Amino acid sequence: YKLVSVRPDWSDSSDLFGHVDLNQKFVPGAVIDFVKQAELNPTKPYFLCLDEMNLAPVEQYFAEFLSVLESRKKEGEEITSEALIDASVFKKHEATLFAELFDKEVEKSSSYGVADLTEDYAHYGKEYEVYERLKQEGLRIPKNLIVIGTVNMDETTHQFSRKVIDRAMTIEMNIAEGEQPFKDF
């Protein structure tokens, strides 16, 4: 389970999924490590909760995720989707991203810049498999990732568009005037 608090200043997906900084280094966003963990443990459910989703316009910071969500389809026993982060990012930034995502250093090679990881497959194990898949397919939505969002509807927050509501399952919790919810907890 991971709780990510949405910030009112989010205007794109870089805080969630990452971006390339001014030094041309890829900086992973708040959920990349969590999605990677879901990839490493495909039989275990991973719950990502975006808290106060409507503090910022959802359509701005979550647009890529919603589009990728629409691209999901079942192919045999697998559920596939378009990539949230393109494979070229993982190829181009392999030396730094592999180390950052898996807390392991990639050895430098004088001729190619990055050592061929296939030589050290036993050393890297499952992480190597996942990173190789990221380099081939990009970062996709794992089938064991469940995204939950909380919202408070009042005059200080942004309203959801029909596109967002159509792609969500909503549970509305209204409290009657004078009621004390959860007083026994």
Side-chain angles (χ1 to χ4, degrees), residues 29-52:
V31 301
I32 295 302
D33 186 59
F34 191 71
V35 174
K36 180 252 326 180
Q37 289 296 328
E39 285 273 337
L40 284 169
N41 302 293
T43 60
K44 180 179 174 184
Y46 280 75
F47 295 91
L48 172 64
C49 181
L50 299 176
D51 191 31
E52 297 284 346

mmCIF file of all heavy atoms in Angstrom, residues 29-52:
data_model
loop_
_atom_site.group_PDB
_atom_site.id
_atom_site.type_symbol
_atom_site.label_atom_id
_atom_site.label_comp_id
_atom_site.label_asym_id
_atom_site.label_seq_id
_atom_site.Cartn_x
_atom_site.Cartn_y
_atom_site.Cartn_z
ATOM 1 N N GLY A 29 9.207 9.661 -10.626
ATOM 2 C CA GLY A 29 8.156 10.287 -9.836
ATOM 3 C C GLY A 29 7.799 9.465 -8.608
ATOM 4 O O GLY A 29 8.375 8.397 -8.346
ATOM 5 N N ALA A 30 6.811 9.941 -7.888
ATOM 6 C CA ALA A 30 6.420 9.363 -6.598
ATOM 7 C C ALA A 30 5.940 7.923 -6.680
ATOM 8 O O ALA A 30 6.046 7.178 -5.704
ATOM 9 C CB ALA A 30 5.334 10.226 -5.961
ATOM 10 N N VAL A 31 5.409 7.491 -7.818
ATOM 11 C CA VAL A 31 4.829 6.145 -7.883
ATOM 12 C C VAL A 31 5.678 5.138 -8.649
ATOM 13 O O VAL A 31 5.349 3.953 -8.675
ATOM 14 C CB VAL A 31 3.403 6.169 -8.473
ATOM 15 C CG1 VAL A 31 2.492 7.042 -7.644
ATOM 16 C CG2 VAL A 31 3.393 6.594 -9.914
ATOM 17 N N ILE A 32 6.767 5.559 -9.251
ATOM 18 C CA ILE A 32 7.566 4.650 -10.081
ATOM 19 C C ILE A 32 8.120 3.483 -9.271
ATOM 20 O O ILE A 32 8.045 2.326 -9.691
ATOM 21 C CB ILE A 32 8.705 5.411 -10.795
ATOM 22 C CG1 ILE A 32 8.120 6.408 -11.788
ATOM 23 C CG2 ILE A 32 9.653 4.456 -11.497
ATOM 24 C CD1 ILE A 32 7.220 5.793 -12.845
ATOM 25 N N ASP A 33 8.675 3.758 -8.108
ATOM 26 C CA ASP A 33 9.223 2.670 -7.286
ATOM 27 C C ASP A 33 8.128 1.694 -6.882
ATOM 28 O O ASP A 33 8.336 0.486 -6.864
ATOM 29 C CB ASP A 33 9.920 3.237 -6.052
ATOM 30 C CG ASP A 33 10.622 2.148 -5.263
ATOM 31 O OD1 ASP A 33 11.495 1.479 -5.850
ATOM 32 O OD2 ASP A 33 10.287 1.959 -4.081
ATOM 33 N N PHE A 34 6.946 2.210 -6.578
ATOM 34 C CA PHE A 34 5.829 1.359 -6.170
ATOM 35 C C PHE A 34 5.358 0.476 -7.332
ATOM 36 O O PHE A 34 5.113 -0.719 -7.155
ATOM 37 C CB PHE A 34 4.679 2.227 -5.651
ATOM 38 C CG PHE A 34 3.596 1.444 -4.976
ATOM 39 C CD1 PHE A 34 3.816 0.856 -3.742
ATOM 40 C CD2 PHE A 34 2.362 1.319 -5.561
ATOM 41 C CE1 PHE A 34 2.812 0.136 -3.106
ATOM 42 C CE2 PHE A 34 1.349 0.613 -4.934
ATOM 43 C CZ PHE A 34 1.574 0.016 -3.707
ATOM 44 N N VAL A 35 5.270 1.048 -8.525
ATOM 45 C CA VAL A 35 4.880 0.272 -9.711
ATOM 46 C C VAL A 35 5.942 -0.783 -10.010
ATOM 47 O O VAL A 35 5.626 -1.918 -10.363
ATOM 48 C CB VAL A 35 4.625 1.198 -10.926
ATOM 49 C CG1 VAL A 35 4.373 0.398 -12.188
ATOM 50 C CG2 VAL A 35 3.465 2.142 -10.648
ATOM 51 N N LYS A 36 7.201 -0.427 -9.819
ATOM 52 C CA LYS A 36 8.294 -1.395 -10.004
ATOM 53 C C LYS A 36 8.154 -2.551 -9.022
ATOM 54 O O LYS A 36 8.330 -3.712 -9.379
ATOM 55 C CB LYS A 36 9.639 -0.694 -9.830
ATOM 56 C CG LYS A 36 10.860 -1.571 -9.983
ATOM 57 C CD LYS A 36 11.627 -1.907 -8.737
ATOM 58 C CE LYS A 36 11.686 -0.878 -7.682
ATOM 59 N NZ LYS A 36 12.433 -1.232 -6.482
ATOM 60 N N GLN A 37 7.793 -2.259 -7.770
ATOM 61 C CA GLN A 37 7.586 -3.317 -6.784
ATOM 62 C C GLN A 37 6.443 -4.242 -7.205
ATOM 63 O O GLN A 37 6.524 -5.457 -7.029
ATOM 64 C CB GLN A 37 7.288 -2.724 -5.398
ATOM 65 C CG GLN A 37 8.474 -2.062 -4.748
ATOM 66 C CD GLN A 37 9.586 -3.057 -4.456
ATOM 67 O OE1 GLN A 37 9.360 -4.226 -4.179
ATOM 68 N NE2 GLN A 37 10.815 -2.582 -4.544
ATOM 69 N N ALA A 38 5.391 -3.661 -7.774
ATOM 70 C CA ALA A 38 4.281 -4.478 -8.280
ATOM 71 C C ALA A 38 4.753 -5.388 -9.407
ATOM 72 O O ALA A 38 4.331 -6.538 -9.505
ATOM 73 C CB ALA A 38 3.130 -3.582 -8.744
ATOM 74 N N GLU A 39 5.628 -4.867 -10.262
ATOM 75 C CA GLU A 39 6.192 -5.680 -11.349
ATOM 76 C C GLU A 39 7.022 -6.836 -10.797
ATOM 77 O O GLU A 39 6.997 -7.938 -11.342
ATOM 78 C CB GLU A 39 7.086 -4.818 -12.254
ATOM 79 C CG GLU A 39 6.344 -3.905 -13.175
ATOM 80 C CD GLU A 39 5.967 -4.584 -14.473
ATOM 81 O OE1 GLU A 39 6.602 -5.578 -14.870
ATOM 82 O OE2 GLU A 39 5.006 -4.110 -15.083
ATOM 83 N N LEU A 40 7.771 -6.589 -9.729
ATOM 84 C CA LEU A 40 8.630 -7.625 -9.149
ATOM 85 C C LEU A 40 7.835 -8.713 -8.426
ATOM 86 O O LEU A 40 8.316 -9.826 -8.269
ATOM 87 C CB LEU A 40 9.624 -7.002 -8.159
ATOM 88 C CG LEU A 40 10.805 -6.265 -8.770
ATOM 89 C CD1 LEU A 40 11.550 -5.485 -7.702
ATOM 90 C CD2 LEU A 40 11.734 -7.231 -9.481
ATOM 91 N N ASN A 41 6.626 -8.389 -7.962
ATOM 92 C CA ASN A 41 5.802 -9.323 -7.199
ATOM 93 C C ASN A 41 4.420 -9.454 -7.828
ATOM 94 O O ASN A 41 3.432 -8.990 -7.261
ATOM 95 C CB ASN A 41 5.667 -8.831 -5.749
ATOM 96 C CG ASN A 41 6.998 -8.672 -5.074
ATOM 97 O OD1 ASN A 41 7.692 -9.631 -4.835
ATOM 98 N ND2 ASN A 41 7.371 -7.430 -4.789
ATOM 99 N N PRO A 42 4.315 -10.072 -8.996
ATOM 100 C CA PRO A 42 3.056 -10.067 -9.750
ATOM 101 C C PRO A 42 1.895 -10.819 -9.105
ATOM 102 O O PRO A 42 0.755 -10.639 -9.502
ATOM 103 C CB PRO A 42 3.442 -10.706 -11.084
ATOM 104 C CG PRO A 42 4.663 -11.501 -10.806
ATOM 105 C CD PRO A 42 5.373 -10.794 -9.694
ATOM 106 N N THR A 43 2.151 -11.637 -8.081
ATOM 107 C CA THR A 43 1.050 -12.380 -7.447
ATOM 108 C C THR A 43 0.507 -11.666 -6.212
ATOM 109 O O THR A 43 -0.450 -12.122 -5.606
ATOM 110 C CB THR A 43 1.517 -13.790 -7.036
ATOM 111 O OG1 THR A 43 2.605 -13.667 -6.118
ATOM 112 C CG2 THR A 43 1.932 -14.601 -8.256
ATOM 113 N N LYS A 44 1.101 -10.540 -5.846
ATOM 114 C CA LYS A 44 0.700 -9.794 -4.657
ATOM 115 C C LYS A 44 -0.015 -8.510 -5.094
ATOM 116 O O LYS A 44 0.472 -7.800 -5.965
ATOM 117 C CB LYS A 44 1.962 -9.446 -3.860
ATOM 118 C CG LYS A 44 1.750 -8.679 -2.612
ATOM 119 C CD LYS A 44 3.114 -8.442 -1.941
ATOM 120 C CE LYS A 44 2.973 -7.544 -0.744
ATOM 121 N NZ LYS A 44 4.274 -7.236 -0.152
ATOM 122 N N PRO A 45 -1.191 -8.192 -4.507
ATOM 123 C CA PRO A 45 -1.875 -6.945 -4.891
ATOM 124 C C PRO A 45 -1.172 -5.718 -4.317
ATOM 125 O O PRO A 45 -0.693 -5.740 -3.182
ATOM 126 C CB PRO A 45 -3.274 -7.107 -4.297
ATOM 127 C CG PRO A 45 -3.115 -8.080 -3.191
ATOM 128 C CD PRO A 45 -1.954 -8.973 -3.551
ATOM 129 N N TYR A 46 -1.104 -4.664 -5.106
ATOM 130 C CA TYR A 46 -0.510 -3.395 -4.696
ATOM 131 C C TYR A 46 -1.566 -2.308 -4.827
ATOM 132 O O TYR A 46 -2.126 -2.101 -5.903
ATOM 133 C CB TYR A 46 0.703 -3.056 -5.566
ATOM 134 C CG TYR A 46 1.936 -3.802 -5.126
ATOM 135 C CD1 TYR A 46 2.095 -5.154 -5.395
ATOM 136 C CD2 TYR A 46 2.930 -3.162 -4.403
ATOM 137 C CE1 TYR A 46 3.208 -5.849 -4.966
ATOM 138 C CE2 TYR A 46 4.054 -3.842 -3.967
ATOM 139 C CZ TYR A 46 4.181 -5.181 -4.256
ATOM 140 O OH TYR A 46 5.285 -5.862 -3.817
ATOM 141 N N PHE A 47 -1.838 -1.611 -3.719
ATOM 142 C CA PHE A 47 -2.857 -0.572 -3.679
ATOM 143 C C PHE A 47 -2.172 0.788 -3.611
ATOM 144 O O PHE A 47 -1.464 1.082 -2.651
ATOM 145 C CB PHE A 47 -3.772 -0.749 -2.458
ATOM 146 C CG PHE A 47 -4.585 -2.010 -2.511
ATOM 147 C CD1 PHE A 47 -4.103 -3.187 -1.960
ATOM 148 C CD2 PHE A 47 -5.829 -2.015 -3.114
ATOM 149 C CE1 PHE A 47 -4.844 -4.355 -2.005
ATOM 150 C CE2 PHE A 47 -6.578 -3.183 -3.165
ATOM 151 C CZ PHE A 47 -6.083 -4.351 -2.618
ATOM 152 N N LEU A 48 -2.434 1.608 -4.617
ATOM 153 C CA LEU A 48 -1.919 2.968 -4.671
ATOM 154 C C LEU A 48 -3.087 3.906 -4.398
ATOM 155 O O LEU A 48 -4.087 3.867 -5.110
ATOM 156 C CB LEU A 48 -1.328 3.266 -6.052
ATOM 157 C CG LEU A 48 -0.920 4.709 -6.323
ATOM 158 C CD1 LEU A 48 0.214 5.129 -5.393
ATOM 159 C CD2 LEU A 48 -0.527 4.875 -7.774
ATOM 160 N N CYS A 49 -2.984 4.721 -3.357
ATOM 161 C CA CYS A 49 -4.052 5.654 -3.008
ATOM 162 C C CYS A 49 -3.580 7.077 -3.261
ATOM 163 O O CYS A 49 -2.598 7.529 -2.664
ATOM 164 C CB CYS A 49 -4.464 5.484 -1.552
ATOM 165 S SG CYS A 49 -5.810 6.601 -1.086
ATOM 166 N N LEU A 50 -4.260 7.764 -4.164
ATOM 167 C CA LEU A 50 -3.999 9.181 -4.410
ATOM 168 C C LEU A 50 -4.975 9.967 -3.543
ATOM 169 O O LEU A 50 -6.186 9.955 -3.782
ATOM 170 C CB LEU A 50 -4.185 9.510 -5.893
ATOM 171 C CG LEU A 50 -3.252 8.768 -6.842
ATOM 172 C CD1 LEU A 50 -3.598 9.092 -8.277
ATOM 173 C CD2 LEU A 50 -1.811 9.109 -6.547
ATOM 174 N N ASP A 51 -4.447 10.615 -2.528
ATOM 175 C CA ASP A 51 -5.281 11.301 -1.549
ATOM 176 C C ASP A 51 -5.584 12.724 -1.991
ATOM 177 O O ASP A 51 -4.693 13.451 -2.420
ATOM 178 C CB ASP A 51 -4.554 11.315 -0.202
ATOM 179 C CG ASP A 51 -5.454 11.760 0.931
ATOM 180 O OD1 ASP A 51 -6.673 11.503 0.866
ATOM 181 O OD2 ASP A 51 -4.926 12.359 1.885
ATOM 182 N N GLU A 52 -6.857 13.097 -1.879
ATOM 183 C CA GLU A 52 -7.332 14.427 -2.255
ATOM 184 C C GLU A 52 -7.064 14.706 -3.742
ATOM 185 O O GLU A 52 -6.475 15.717 -4.103
ATOM 186 C CB GLU A 52 -6.682 15.507 -1.382
ATOM 187 C CG GLU A 52 -7.012 15.390 0.076
ATOM 188 C CD GLU A 52 -8.414 15.853 0.435
ATOM 189 O OE1 GLU A 52 -9.072 16.508 -0.389
ATOM 190 O OE2 GLU A 52 -8.853 15.538 1.549
#
